[in-house]
Amino acid sequence: LYDKCSYTTLDRGWVLGINNVSGQGNRDPRYFFSLKTDRARKVTTITDHHSYLPNQWVHLAITYDGRLMKLYVNGAQVAASREQVGSIFSPLTLKCKILMLGGNARHQNYRGYIEHFSLWRTVRSQKEILMDMTLVAHEVDVPLPQLVFQETLLNVKSNWLPMKDSPRLPLTELTSHSGYLLDTSLEPPLCGQTVCDNVEVIASYNRIPTFRHRKVVRYRVVNIYDDHHRNPTISQQQIEFQHRQLNEAFSPYNISWEIEVLEINDSSLRDRLILANCEISKIGDENCDPECNHTLTGFDGGDCRHVRQLSFNRKKQNGMCDMDCNSEKYNFDGGDCCNPDITDVTKTCFDPDSPNRAYLDVKELKNKLNLNGSTHLNIFFANSSEEELAGMATFPWDKEALVHL
């Protein structure tokens, strides 16, 4: 639906269709909804987050209430945007509207079937859209006062005109084959195939009980012990308690959790501090980085504490770990504090370039464990330099695992 009176632009109005969202030719076609209001400077386009499947019927719905655009696929909200505001057409151009079916003002045509089309005066809610799907599927004729018009395309010649560049009207095909009939068995897209971090989208899935198909999340807890299978990172009681809490919290959404506990016996890993959010390259860079300010990093390699002037040459490589010299400024006591023959390096080695340092970041821990997230969501445990921090929403989840879900 666009403004035919505008000679400067052809994109004022709205478009629902299929288009490629990547530069890979026709490899990634998706449903989209574009809108440009009367006073907007540019078009806003929202798309489905999954390529459409050819040779399948689909129910598409779009809504705009003057503030919020929404795109629905088979009754499921898959995209939303608040970029556009206000009326689509100004009072002066209300009579300039033209509705095109099967193409747009740029002469881009649609090749496929259309069974039913409805245009409403008011915004339809998600529950009303689901009800519309049922009525269309069963060909129920009920009074709908807010309906501007609906088209079953049975009388194309009497109701529609071809574009001036089109030689003829589209063909009408009548069939009773069940494979061509729109029905309520249409499955909504899985939430993992939509932009589920959008509050509007995920809330729409939570409100519709039929969308809550049973889902199982497989996760793996990595618990590190010392070489003698003692001193675990987390106790078995804590793991079991957390597992129960997860299942109780997610059960209303028909989501269950399957746990696997991986026990690693490695004192060299267990005795080291696993840092969260601290890049090792920042330690000793002459800037105090709060996320690296920990006793086992030497307070960010000495960057976060005042180091008094010392006579370093007298203590350099004297066969003892002198903590006053254990900072980047004094080359971490000339290496004495990272020598396992001299000291307990798990408590004194702060040098980020030493293989014996007392800390690792989460990425290094993952590499040493050689785990991937293709089958499970891996959970690692790390420490934070901020003692008042109780936890973070994305911590300690393995980000790489999300790619495979």
Side-chain angles (χ1 to χ4, degrees), residues 10 12 91 96 122 125 172-173 189 210 222 225 269 284 293 307-308 313 329 347 350 372-373 377 382 389 392 395:
L10 294 176
R12 182 178 294 121
C96 290
T122 59
S125 67
T172 301
E173 181 175 316
T210 56
V222 181
Y225 294 72
L269 291 179
N293 186 15
V307 180
R308 66 180 186 273
N313 289 330
K329 183 176 181 179
K347 296 181 174 62
F350 307 150
N372 65 64
L377 192 63
L389 181 65
M392 294 182 289
F395 166 85

Side-chain angles (χ1 to χ4, degrees), residues 65-193:
D65 62 0
R67 293 174 299 175
L68 181 61
M69 299 169 56
K70 294 182 180 181
L71 170 63
Y72 297 86
V73 176
N74 291 343
Q77 183 182 328
V78 297
S81 173
R82 294 183 180 272
E83 290 185 5
Q84 297 287 324
V85 178
S87 300
I88 302 177
F89 301 101
S90 69
L92 296 177
T93 61
L94 284 177
K95 296 183 179 180
C96 290
K97 297 191 294 291
I98 184 169
L99 176 65
M100 298 183 65
L101 204 61
N104 60 19
R106 301 180 185 277
H107 307 293
Q108 296 168 323
N109 297 321
Y110 163 71
R111 293 179 297 175
Y113 290 93
I114 300 176
E115 185 184 69
H116 191 93
F117 178 83
S118 299
L119 187 63
W120 297 85
R121 185 173 289 106
T122 59
V123 174
R124 304 292 281 173
S125 67
Q126 188 172 24
K127 290 184 178 180
E128 289 174 326
I129 290 172
L130 290 169
M131 181 181 68
D132 295 340
M133 290 174 57
T134 304
L135 296 178
V136 171
H138 295 89
E139 299 181 355
V140 178
D141 187 14
V142 296
L144 301 169
Q146 299 300 327
L147 185 66
V148 177
F149 81 94
Q150 61 181 354
E151 179 61 75
T152 58
L153 303 173
L154 296 177
N155 298 307
V156 175
K157 292 183 179 180
S158 60
N159 296 336
W160 296 86
L161 293 174
M163 292 295 292
K164 60 181 180 180
D165 297 328
S166 300
R168 56 182 173 80
L169 288 166
L171 298 176
T172 301
E173 181 175 316
L174 299 176
T175 177
S176 60
H177 191 281
S178 59
Y180 289 95
L181 294 178
L182 196 64
D183 58 41
T184 54
S185 65
L186 295 172
E187 291 293 327
L190 298 177
C191 192
Q193 297 172 353

